[in-house]
Coordinates of all heavy atoms in Angstrom, one line a residue:
M1 N 78.1 91.0 91.0 CA 78.4 92.1 90.1 C 79.1 93.1 91.0 O 78.8 93.4 92.1 CB 77.1 92.6 89.6 CG 77.0 93.3 88.3 SD 78.0 92.8 86.9 CE 76.9 92.0 85.9
A2 N 80.0 93.8 90.3 CA 80.8 94.8 91.0 C 80.0 96.1 91.2 O 79.1 96.4 90.5 CB 82.1 95.1 90.1
E3 N 80.5 96.9 92.2 CA 79.9 98.2 92.4 C 80.8 99.2 91.6 O 82.0 99.3 91.9 CB 79.9 98.6 93.9 CG 79.4 100.0 94.1 CD 79.5 100.4 95.6 OE1 78.9 99.7 96.4 OE2 80.2 101.4 95.8
I4 N 80.1 99.9 90.7 CA 80.8 100.8 89.8 C 80.3 102.2 89.9 O 79.1 102.4 89.9 CB 80.7 100.4 88.3 CG1 81.2 98.9 88.2 CG2 81.5 101.3 87.4 CD1 80.8 98.3 86.9
K5 N 81.2 103.2 90.1 CA 80.8 104.6 90.1 C 81.6 105.3 89.1 O 82.8 105.1 89.0 CB 81.0 105.2 91.5 CG 80.1 104.8 92.6 CD 80.3 105.5 93.9 CE 79.4 105.0 94.9 NZ 79.6 105.8 96.2
I6 N 80.9 106.1 88.3 CA 81.6 106.9 87.3 C 81.2 108.3 87.4 O 80.0 108.7 87.3 CB 81.4 106.3 85.9 CG1 82.1 107.1 84.8 CG2 79.9 106.1 85.6 CD1 82.1 106.4 83.4
Y7 N 82.2 109.2 87.6 CA 82.0 110.6 87.7 C 82.2 111.2 86.3 O 83.2 110.9 85.6 CB 83.0 111.2 88.6 CG 82.8 110.8 90.0 CD1 83.3 109.6 90.5 CD2 82.1 111.6 90.9 CE1 83.1 109.2 91.8 CE2 81.9 111.2 92.2 CZ 82.4 110.0 92.7 OH 82.2 109.6 94.0
T8 N 81.2 111.9 85.8 CA 81.1 112.4 84.4 C 80.8 113.9 84.3 O 80.4 114.5 85.3 CB 80.1 111.6 83.6 OG1 78.8 111.9 84.2 CG2 80.3 110.1 83.7
K9 N 80.8 114.3 83.1 CA 80.2 115.6 82.7 C 79.4 115.3 81.4 O 79.8 114.4 80.6 CB 81.3 116.7 82.4 CG 81.9 117.2 83.7 CD 82.7 118.4 83.4 CE 82.5 119.4 84.5 NZ 83.0 120.7 84.1
S10 N 78.3 116.0 81.2 CA 77.5 115.7 80.1 C 78.1 116.0 78.7 O 77.6 115.4 77.7 CB 76.1 116.4 80.2 OG 76.3 117.8 80.1
T11 N 79.0 116.8 78.6 CA 79.6 117.2 77.3 C 81.0 116.5 77.1 O 81.8 116.9 76.2 CB 79.9 118.7 77.2 OG1 80.7 119.1 78.3 CG2 78.6 119.5 77.3
C12 N 81.2 115.3 77.7 CA 82.5 114.6 77.7 C 82.4 113.4 76.8 O 81.8 112.4 77.2 CB 82.9 114.3 79.1 SG 84.2 113.2 79.3
P13 N 83.0 113.4 75.7 CA 83.0 112.2 74.8 C 83.7 111.0 75.5 O 83.2 109.9 75.3 CB 83.8 112.6 73.6 CG 83.9 114.1 73.6 CD 83.7 114.5 75.0
A14 N 84.7 111.2 76.2 CA 85.4 110.1 76.9 C 84.4 109.4 78.0 O 84.5 108.2 78.2 CB 86.7 110.5 77.6
C15 N 83.6 110.3 78.6 CA 82.6 109.8 79.5 C 81.6 108.9 78.8 O 81.3 107.8 79.3 CB 81.9 110.9 80.3 SG 83.0 112.0 81.3
D16 N 81.2 109.4 77.7 CA 80.2 108.6 76.9 C 80.8 107.3 76.4 O 80.1 106.2 76.5 CB 79.8 109.4 75.6 CG 79.0 110.6 76.0 OD1 78.4 110.7 77.1 OD2 78.9 111.5 75.1
M17 N 82.1 107.3 76.1 CA 82.8 106.0 75.6 C 82.9 105.1 76.8 O 82.6 103.9 76.7 CB 84.1 106.3 75.1 CG 84.9 105.1 74.7 SD 84.1 104.1 73.4 CE 84.4 105.1 72.0
A18 N 83.3 105.6 78.0 CA 83.4 104.7 79.2 C 82.1 104.1 79.5 O 82.0 102.9 79.8 CB 84.0 105.5 80.3
K19 N 81.0 104.9 79.5 CA 79.7 104.3 79.8 C 79.3 103.3 78.8 O 78.6 102.3 79.1 CB 78.6 105.5 79.9 CG 78.9 106.4 81.1 CD 77.8 107.4 81.2 CE 77.8 108.4 80.1 NZ 76.8 109.5 80.3
K20 N 79.6 103.5 77.5 CA 79.3 102.6 76.4 C 80.0 101.2 76.7 O 79.4 100.2 76.5 CB 79.7 103.2 75.1 CG 79.4 102.3 73.9 CD 79.8 102.9 72.6 CE 79.5 101.9 71.5 NZ 80.2 102.2 70.3
I21 N 81.3 101.3 77.0 CA 82.0 100.1 77.3 C 81.4 99.3 78.4 O 81.2 98.1 78.3 CB 83.5 100.4 77.6 CG1 84.2 100.9 76.4 CG2 84.2 99.2 78.2 CD1 85.5 101.6 76.7
L22 N 81.1 100.0 79.5 CA 80.5 99.3 80.7 C 79.1 98.7 80.3 O 78.8 97.6 80.7 CB 80.3 100.3 81.8 CG 81.7 100.7 82.5 CD1 81.5 101.9 83.4 CD2 82.4 99.5 83.1
S23 N 78.3 99.5 79.6 CA 77.0 99.1 79.2 C 77.0 97.8 78.3 O 76.3 96.9 78.4 CB 76.2 100.2 78.5 OG 75.9 101.2 79.4
E24 N 78.0 97.8 77.3 CA 78.2 96.7 76.4 C 78.6 95.4 77.2 O 78.3 94.3 76.7 CB 79.2 97.0 75.3 CG 78.6 98.0 74.3 CD 79.7 98.4 73.2 OE1 80.9 98.1 73.4 OE2 79.2 99.1 72.3
K25 N 79.2 95.6 78.3 CA 79.6 94.5 79.1 C 78.4 94.0 80.0 O 78.6 93.0 80.7 CB 80.8 94.9 80.0 CG 82.0 95.2 79.2 CD 83.1 94.3 79.6 CE 84.3 94.4 78.6 NZ 84.7 93.2 78.0
G26 N 77.4 94.8 80.0 CA 76.2 94.5 80.9 C 76.4 94.9 82.3 O 75.7 94.4 83.2
A27 N 77.4 95.7 82.6 CA 77.7 96.2 83.9 C 76.8 97.3 84.3 O 76.6 98.2 83.5 CB 79.2 96.7 84.0
E28 N 76.3 97.2 85.5 CA 75.5 98.3 86.0 C 76.4 99.3 86.8 O 77.3 98.9 87.5 CB 74.4 97.8 87.0 CG 73.4 96.9 86.3 CD 72.3 96.4 87.2 OE1 72.2 96.9 88.4 OE2 71.6 95.5 86.8
Y29 N 76.1 100.6 86.6 CA 77.0 101.6 87.2 C 76.1 102.7 87.7 O 75.0 102.9 87.3 CB 78.1 102.1 86.3 CG 77.5 102.6 85.0 CD1 77.2 104.0 84.9 CD2 77.4 101.9 83.9 CE1 76.7 104.5 83.7 CE2 76.9 102.4 82.7 CZ 76.6 103.7 82.6 OH 76.1 104.2 81.5
T30 N 76.7 103.5 88.7 CA 76.1 104.7 89.2 C 76.9 105.8 88.5 O 78.1 105.9 88.7 CB 76.2 104.8 90.7 OG1 75.5 103.6 91.3 CG2 75.6 106.0 91.2
E31 N 76.1 106.7 87.8 CA 76.7 107.8 87.2 C 76.5 109.0 88.1 O 75.4 109.3 88.5 CB 76.1 108.1 85.8 CG 76.7 109.3 85.1 CD 76.2 109.6 83.8 OE1 75.3 108.8 83.3 OE2 76.7 110.5 83.1
L32 N 77.6 109.8 88.3 CA 77.5 111.0 89.1 C 78.0 112.1 88.3 O 79.2 112.3 88.0 CB 78.4 110.9 90.4 CG 78.0 109.7 91.3 CD1 79.2 108.9 91.8 CD2 77.1 110.1 92.3
C33 N 77.0 112.8 87.7 CA 77.3 113.9 86.8 C 77.7 115.2 87.5 O 77.0 115.6 88.4 CB 76.1 114.2 85.9 SG 76.4 115.5 84.6
M34 N 78.8 115.7 87.2 CA 79.4 116.9 87.9 C 79.1 118.2 87.2 O 79.7 119.2 87.6 CB 81.0 116.7 88.0 CG 81.4 115.4 88.8 SD 81.2 115.6 90.5 CE 79.8 114.7 90.9
D35 N 78.2 118.2 86.3 CA 77.9 119.5 85.5 C 77.7 120.7 86.4 O 78.2 121.7 86.2 CB 76.7 119.3 84.6 CG 77.1 118.5 83.3 OD1 78.3 118.2 83.1 OD2 76.2 118.2 82.6
D36 N 76.8 120.5 87.4 CA 76.4 121.6 88.3 C 77.0 121.5 89.7 O 76.4 122.0 90.6 CB 74.9 121.7 88.3 CG 74.3 122.0 86.9 OD1 74.9 122.8 86.2 OD2 73.3 121.5 86.6
K37 N 78.1 120.8 89.8 CA 78.7 120.5 91.1 C 80.2 120.9 91.1 O 81.0 120.0 91.4 CB 78.5 119.1 91.5 CG 77.0 118.7 91.5 CD 76.8 117.2 91.7 CE 75.4 116.8 91.6 NZ 75.2 115.4 91.7
P38 N 80.5 122.1 90.9 CA 82.0 122.4 90.8 C 82.7 122.2 92.1 O 83.9 121.8 92.0 CB 82.0 123.9 90.4 CG 80.6 124.4 90.8 CD 79.7 123.3 90.7
E39 N 82.1 122.4 93.2 CA 82.8 122.1 94.5 C 83.1 120.7 94.7 O 84.2 120.3 95.1 CB 82.0 122.7 95.6 CG 82.7 122.6 97.0 CD 82.0 123.4 98.1 OE1 81.5 124.5 97.9 OE2 81.9 122.7 99.1
E40 N 82.1 119.8 94.4 CA 82.3 118.4 94.5 C 83.3 117.9 93.5 O 84.1 117.0 93.8 CB 80.9 117.6 94.2 CG 80.0 117.8 95.4 CD 78.7 117.0 95.1 OE1 78.8 115.8 94.7 OE2 77.6 117.6 95.4
L41 N 83.3 118.5 92.3 CA 84.3 118.1 91.3 C 85.7 118.5 91.8 O 86.7 117.7 91.6 CB 84.0 118.7 89.9 CG 85.0 118.4 88.8 CD1 85.0 116.9 88.5 CD2 84.5 119.1 87.5
N42 N 85.9 119.6 92.3 CA 87.2 120.0 92.9 C 87.6 119.1 94.0 O 88.8 118.8 94.1 CB 87.1 121.5 93.3 CG 87.1 122.5 92.2 OD1 87.6 122.2 91.1 ND2 86.5 123.7 92.4
Q43 N 86.7 118.7 94.8 CA 87.0 117.8 95.9 C 87.5 116.4 95.4 O 88.4 115.8 95.8 CB 85.8 117.6 96.9 CG 85.5 118.8 97.7 CD 84.2 118.7 98.5 OE1 83.5 117.7 98.3 NE2 83.9 119.6 99.3
L44 N 86.8 116.0 94.3 CA 87.1 114.7 93.7 C 88.5 114.8 93.1 O 89.4 113.9 93.2 CB 86.1 114.3 92.6 CG 86.4 113.1 91.8 CD1 86.2 111.8 92.7 CD2 85.4 113.0 90.6
K45 N 88.8 115.9 92.4 CA 90.1 116.1 91.8 C 91.2 116.1 92.8 O 92.3 115.6 92.6 CB 90.1 117.4 91.0 CG 89.3 117.3 89.7 CD 89.3 118.7 89.0 CE 88.5 118.6 87.7 NZ 88.5 119.9 87.0
A46 N 90.9 116.8 94.0 CA 91.9 116.8 95.0 C 92.2 115.5 95.6 O 93.3 115.1 96.0 CB 91.4 117.8 96.1
R47 N 91.1 114.7 95.7 CA 91.2 113.3 96.3 C 92.0 112.4 95.4 O 92.8 111.6 95.8 CB 89.8 112.8 96.6 CG 89.8 111.4 97.3 CD 88.4 111.0 97.7 NE 87.6 111.0 96.5 CZ 86.5 110.2 96.3 NH1 86.2 109.4 97.3 NH2 85.8 110.2 95.2
T48 N 91.7 112.5 94.1 CA 92.3 111.5 93.2 C 93.6 112.0 92.5 O 94.3 111.2 91.9 CB 91.3 111.1 92.1 OG1 91.0 112.3 91.3 CG2 90.0 110.5 92.6
G49 N 93.7 113.3 92.4 CA 94.9 113.8 91.7 C 94.7 113.9 90.2 O 95.5 114.4 89.5
L50 N 93.5 113.5 89.7 CA 93.2 113.6 88.3 C 92.4 114.9 88.1 O 91.6 115.3 88.9 CB 92.4 112.4 87.9 CG 93.0 111.1 88.0 CD1 92.1 110.0 87.5 CD2 94.3 111.0 87.1
Q51 N 92.7 115.5 86.9 CA 92.0 116.8 86.6 C 90.9 116.6 85.5 O 90.3 117.6 85.1 CB 93.1 117.8 86.1 CG 94.1 118.2 87.1 CD 93.5 118.8 88.3 OE1 92.7 119.8 88.2 NE2 93.8 118.3 89.5
T52 N 90.7 115.4 85.1 CA 89.7 115.2 84.0 C 88.6 114.2 84.5 O 88.8 113.5 85.5 CB 90.4 114.6 82.8 OG1 91.0 113.4 83.1 CG2 91.4 115.6 82.2
V53 N 87.6 114.1 83.7 CA 86.5 113.1 83.8 C 86.6 112.3 82.5 O 87.0 112.8 81.5 CB 85.1 113.7 84.1 CG1 85.1 114.3 85.5 CG2 84.7 114.7 83.1
P54 N 86.1 111.1 82.5 CA 85.5 110.4 83.7 C 86.5 109.9 84.7 O 87.7 109.8 84.4 CB 84.9 109.1 83.0 CG 85.8 108.8 81.9 CD 86.2 110.2 81.4
Q55 N 86.1 109.7 85.9 CA 86.8 109.1 86.9 C 86.0 107.9 87.3 O 84.9 108.0 87.7 CB 87.1 110.0 88.1 CG 88.0 111.2 87.7 CD 88.6 112.0 88.8 OE1 88.7 111.5 89.9 NE2 88.9 113.2 88.6
I56 N 86.6 106.7 87.2 CA 85.9 105.5 87.4 C 86.4 104.7 88.6 O 87.6 104.5 88.7 CB 86.0 104.6 86.1 CG1 85.6 105.4 84.9 CG2 85.2 103.3 86.2 CD1 86.0 104.8 83.6
F57 N 85.5 104.2 89.4 CA 85.8 103.5 90.6 C 85.1 102.1 90.5 O 83.9 102.1 90.2 CB 85.3 104.2 91.9 CG 86.1 105.4 92.2 CD1 85.8 106.6 91.5 CD2 87.1 105.4 93.1 CE1 86.4 107.8 91.8 CE2 87.8 106.6 93.4 CZ 87.4 107.8 92.8
I58 N 85.8 101.0 90.7 CA 85.2 99.7 90.7 C 85.5 99.1 92.1 O 86.6 99.0 92.5 CB 85.8 98.8 89.6 CG1 85.5 99.4 88.2 CG2 85.2 97.4 89.7 CD1 86.0 98.6 87.1
N59 N 84.4 98.8 92.8 CA 84.5 98.3 94.2 C 85.3 99.2 95.1 O 86.1 98.7 95.9 CB 85.0 96.8 94.2 CG 84.0 95.9 93.6 OD1 82.8 96.1 93.7 ND2 84.5 94.8 92.9
G60 N 85.2 100.5 94.9 CA 85.8 101.5 95.7 C 87.3 101.8 95.3 O 87.9 102.7 95.8
E61 N 87.8 101.1 94.3 CA 89.1 101.2 93.8 C 89.1 102.2 92.6 O 88.4 101.9 91.6 CB 89.8 99.9 93.5 CG 91.2 100.0 92.9 CD 91.8 98.7 92.5 OE1 91.2 97.6 92.8 OE2 92.7 98.7 91.7
M62 N 89.9 103.2 92.6 CA 90.1 104.1 91.5 C 90.8 103.4 90.4 O 92.0 103.0 90.6 CB 90.8 105.4 92.0 CG 91.2 106.3 90.9 SD 89.7 107.0 90.1 CE 90.4 108.3 89.1
I63 N 90.2 103.3 89.2 CA 90.9 102.6 88.1 C 91.3 103.6 87.1 O 92.1 103.3 86.2 CB 90.0 101.5 87.5 CG1 88.8 102.1 86.9 CG2 89.7 100.4 88.4 CD1 88.5 101.5 85.5
G64 N 90.9 104.9 87.2 CA 91.3 105.9 86.3 C 90.2 106.4 85.4 O 89.0 106.4 85.8
G65 N 90.6 106.8 84.2 CA 89.6 107.3 83.2 C 89.3 106.3 82.1 O 89.5 105.1 82.2
C66 N 88.8 106.8 81.0 CA 88.4 106.0 79.9 C 89.5 105.2 79.3 O 89.4 104.0 79.0 CB 87.7 106.9 78.8 SG 87.0 105.9 77.5
S67 N 90.7 105.8 79.1 CA 91.8 105.1 78.5 C 92.3 104.0 79.4 O 92.6 102.9 79.0 CB 92.9 106.1 78.2 OG 93.4 106.7 79.3
D68 N 92.2 104.2 80.7 CA 92.5 103.2 81.7 C 91.5 102.0 81.6 O 91.9 100.8 81.7 CB 92.6 103.7 83.1 CG 93.6 104.9 83.2 OD1 94.8 104.6 83.0 OD2 93.2 106.0 83.6
L69 N 90.3 102.3 81.5 CA 89.2 101.3 81.3 C 89.4 100.5 80.1 O 89.4 99.3 80.1 CB 87.8 102.0 81.3 CG 86.6 101.1 81.3 CD1 86.4 100.4 82.6 CD2 85.4 101.9 80.9
M70 N 89.8 101.2 79.0 CA 90.0 100.5 77.7 C 91.2 99.6 77.8 O 91.2 98.5 77.3 CB 90.2 101.5 76.6 CG 88.9 102.3 76.3 SD 89.1 103.7 75.2 CE 89.5 102.9 73.7
K71 N 92.3 100.0 78.5 CA 93.5 99.2 78.7 C 93.2 98.0 79.5 O 93.6 96.9 79.1 CB 94.6 100.1 79.3 CG 95.8 99.4 79.6 CD 96.7 99.1 78.3 CE 98.0 98.6 78.7 NZ 98.4 97.5 77.9
L72 N 92.4 98.1 80.5 CA 92.0 97.0 81.3 C 91.3 96.0 80.5 O 91.5 94.8 80.6 CB 91.1 97.4 82.5 CG 91.9 98.0 83.7 CD1 90.8 98.6 84.7 CD2 92.8 97.1 84.4
D73 N 90.4 96.5 79.6 CA 89.6 95.6 78.8 C 90.5 94.9 77.8 O 90.4 93.7 77.5 CB 88.5 96.4 78.1 CG 87.5 95.5 77.4 OD1 87.2 94.3 77.9 OD2 86.9 95.9 76.4
E74 N 91.4 95.7 77.2 CA 92.4 95.1 76.2 C 93.2 94.0 76.8 O 93.5 93.0 76.1 CB 93.2 96.3 75.7 CG 94.3 95.9 74.6 CD 95.1 97.1 74.2 OE1 94.6 98.1 73.8 OE2 96.4 97.0 74.4
D75 N 93.6 94.2 78.0 CA 94.5 93.3 78.7 C 93.7 92.1 79.4 O 94.3 91.3 80.1 CB 95.3 94.0 79.8 CG 96.3 95.0 79.2 OD1 96.6 94.9 78.0 OD2 96.8 95.8 80.0
K76 N 92.4 92.1 79.1 CA 91.5 91.0 79.6 C 91.4 91.0 81.2 O 91.2 90.0 81.8 CB 92.0 89.6 79.2 CG 92.1 89.5 77.7 CD 90.8 89.4 77.0 CE 91.0 89.1 75.5 NZ 90.4 90.0 74.6
K77 N 91.6 92.2 81.8 CA 91.5 92.4 83.2 C 90.2 93.0 83.7 O 89.9 92.9 84.9 CB 92.7 93.2 83.7 CG 94.0 92.6 83.5 CD 95.2 93.5 84.0 CE 96.5 92.8 83.7 NZ 97.6 93.7 84.1
L78 N 89.5 93.6 82.7 CA 88.2 94.3 83.1 C 87.1 93.3 83.5 O 86.5 93.5 84.5 CB 87.8 95.2 82.0 CG 86.5 96.0 82.3 CD1 86.7 96.9 83.5 CD2 86.1 96.9 81.1
D79 N 86.9 92.3 82.7 CA 85.8 91.3 83.0 C 85.9 90.7 84.4 O 84.9 90.7 85.1 CB 85.7 90.2 82.0 CG 85.1 90.7 80.6 OD1 84.7 91.9 80.6 OD2 85.1 89.9 79.7
P80 N 87.2 90.3 84.8 CA 87.2 89.7 86.2 C 86.9 90.8 87.3 O 86.3 90.5 88.3 CB 88.7 89.3 86.3 CG 89.1 89.0 84.9 CD 88.4 90.0 84.1
M81 N 87.3 92.0 87.0 CA 87.0 93.1 88.0 C 85.5 93.3 88.0 O 85.0 93.7 89.1 CB 87.7 94.4 87.5 CG 89.2 94.4 87.7 SD 89.9 96.0 87.2 CE 89.7 96.9 88.7
L82 N 84.8 93.2 86.9 CA 83.4 93.4 86.9 C 82.6 92.1 87.2 O 81.4 92.1 87.3 CB 82.9 93.8 85.4 CG 83.5 95.1 84.9 CD1 83.1 95.3 83.5 CD2 83.2 96.3 85.8
Q83 N 83.4 91.0 87.4 CA 82.8 89.7 87.8 C 81.9 89.2 86.6 O 80.8 88.7 86.9 CB 82.1 89.8 89.1 CG 83.0 90.2 90.2 CD 82.3 90.5 91.5 OE1 81.1 90.3 91.6 NE2 83.1 91.0 92.5
I84 N 82.4 89.4 85.4 CA 81.6 89.0 84.2 C 82.4 87.8 83.6 O 83.6 87.8 83.5 CB 81.5 90.1 83.2 CG1 80.7 91.3 83.8 CG2 80.9 89.6 81.9 CD1 80.7 92.5 82.9
Q85 N 81.6 86.8 83.3 CA 82.2 85.6 82.6 C 82.3 85.9 81.1 O 81.3 86.3 80.5 CB 81.3 84.4 82.8 CG 81.2 84.0 84.3 CD 82.5 83.7 85.0 OE1 83.3 83.1 84.4 NE2 82.7 84.2 86.2
P86 N 83.4 85.7 80.5 CA 83.6 85.9 79.0 C 82.7 84.9 78.3 O 82.5 83.8 78.7 CB 85.1 85.7 78.7 CG 85.6 85.0 79.9 CD 84.7 85.2 81.1
E87 N 82.2 85.4 77.1 CA 81.4 84.5 76.3 C 82.2 83.5 75.5 O 83.3 83.7 75.2 CB 80.5 85.4 75.3 CG 79.6 86.3 76.1 CD 78.7 87.1 75.1 OE1 78.6 86.8 73.9 OE2 78.2 88.1 75.6

């Protein structure tokens, strides 16, 4: 199984959708909520160049946000990254 980290905010619908997609795939992930961590969020934004959440990393590789996750799934590239066998 892949190592997945997802940086989120509690009021973010895109974060909820990304977590739902991962959960439906049976993928385990570590959620890092940035609600009360503005300095850490600013550091993350500086590191990735993205200004929004979610920010999703699979095996240390930045894959982007929710729309990027959805595109990977649509293109049948997400399951291999998650090391999940299709049904």
